[in-house]
Amino acid sequence: MHEGATVSAAGMRIVKLLVGNRPFTIADLIDATGVTRTAITEQLNELVAAGFVDRTTERLPGRGRPRHLYSATPAALLLLFASNQRLVVPAIWQAITEIGGQKLLQDVVRRVTRQMAAHYRRRITGRTPAERLRQMTQLLNEEGHLVEVCEDDEGRLVLRKRSCPFISMFEEHRTVCGVDIDLISAVVEAPVRQTMCRHDGDPCCAFALTSVNGE
């Protein structure tokens, strides 16, 4: 799923028809919605590209042409209940803190960060922090994140994260912002500093390597 992907009202109608049901054909969706084949096909193509719908092909005995079947993905379930995520995840942070205090919360964050860092490090071969930062950016983009690397006025490499996979996890102590900082630092194997934060009114979050040019 591409992070930040949006779904039109017509697309959401299709998602709601597919979730929890058997796979639908285009003909099924035309019958259920009453709209044209062209409109249904356009919506399905967008939903498949965004990762909310899967398309499989079935060839029936005695039929010359195969037919496509469409079903909702797990990402579609998250799409339907995005507002619940904004309630549940901060509540989990709060519960961890109430049970074990800040020490337990920090232990959980460190373990989460280690696992996420391992996910990226195994695919990164760069020898310098700059090379590793650029490779990490590429991997994030392949996963659908909106990220880019640029240089600031002092010549430092900066990772700009225009989208945030942790947005539903944000709470007043900004614990999840620490996850971002520690994750990037662990993957590039160099200290980074957060220079922008969307929660401070900036348009995005940004993380700079502390050394010039990332060497």
Side-chain angles (χ1 to χ4, degrees):
M1 180 181 68
H2 290 286
E3 188 182 336
T6 58
V7 178
S8 66
M12 186 61 76
R13 184 181 181 187
I14 291 176
V15 168
K16 289 180 178 179
L17 284 170
L18 295 179
V19 167
N21 280 320
R22 59 171 177 75
F24 277 38
T25 64
I26 289 181
D28 292 331
L29 290 169
I30 292 172
D31 290 341
T33 62
V35 301
T36 66
R37 173 175 289 270
T38 298
I40 290 291
T41 301
E42 289 177 352
Q43 291 296 329
L44 285 171
N45 288 339
E46 291 179 3
L47 292 168
V48 170
F52 298 123
V53 169
D54 272 339
R55 175 170 50 211
T56 57
T57 302
E58 178 183 62
R59 186 179 294 277
L60 298 176
R63 292 187 55 167
R65 297 179 60 186
R67 67 175 184 173
H68 295 306
L69 296 174
Y70 297 87
S71 56
T73 67
L77 292 175
L78 295 176
L79 178 68
L80 290 176
F81 297 103
S83 60
N84 292 73
Q85 296 298 311
R86 288 191 287 271
L87 292 173
V88 172
V89 179
I92 293 174
W93 285 122
Q94 183 62 34
I96 293 172
T97 304
E98 290 175 356
I99 292 169
Q102 284 296 314
K103 184 181 184 303
L104 177 59
L105 181 61
Q106 293 304 320
D107 286 344
V108 169
V109 168
R110 279 193 292 269
R111 289 173 182 266
V112 170
T113 301
R114 281 202 300 268
Q115 292 189 26
M116 295 179 66
H119 166 75
Y120 293 107
R121 274 203 303 250
R122 68 173 63 102
R123 295 182 286 166
I124 287 179
T125 58
R127 295 189 175 186
T128 67
E131 291 173 348
R132 290 190 287 269
L133 183 66
R134 294 187 187 279
Q135 289 179 341
M136 183 181 185
T137 301
Q138 181 179 348
L139 292 173
L140 290 171
N141 276 314
E142 290 172 357
E143 292 177 354
H145 300 255
L146 302 177
V147 295
E148 58 203 23
V149 172
C150 59
E151 283 192 12
D152 64 12
D153 295 338
E154 299 178 14
R156 294 174 304 183
L157 286 183
V158 177
L159 174 66
R160 296 181 70 249
K161 298 187 69 176
R162 294 190 288 118
S163 58
C164 179
F166 306 129
I167 193 68
S168 67
M169 300 170 66
F170 179 75
E171 34 70 61
E172 63 182 50
H173 297 296
R174 303 195 181 193
T175 303
V176 75
C177 294
V179 173
D180 243 343
I181 295 169
D182 293 344
L183 172 62
I184 298 169
S185 180
V187 172
V188 304
E189 299 178 29
V192 298
R193 182 171 63 88
Q194 187 166 10
T195 57
M196 297 174 62
C197 180
R198 68 181 70 249
H199 302 296
D200 291 330
D202 294 315
C204 69
C205 293
F207 306 86
L209 289 175
T210 56
S211 59
V212 175
N213 296 323
E215 299 299 336

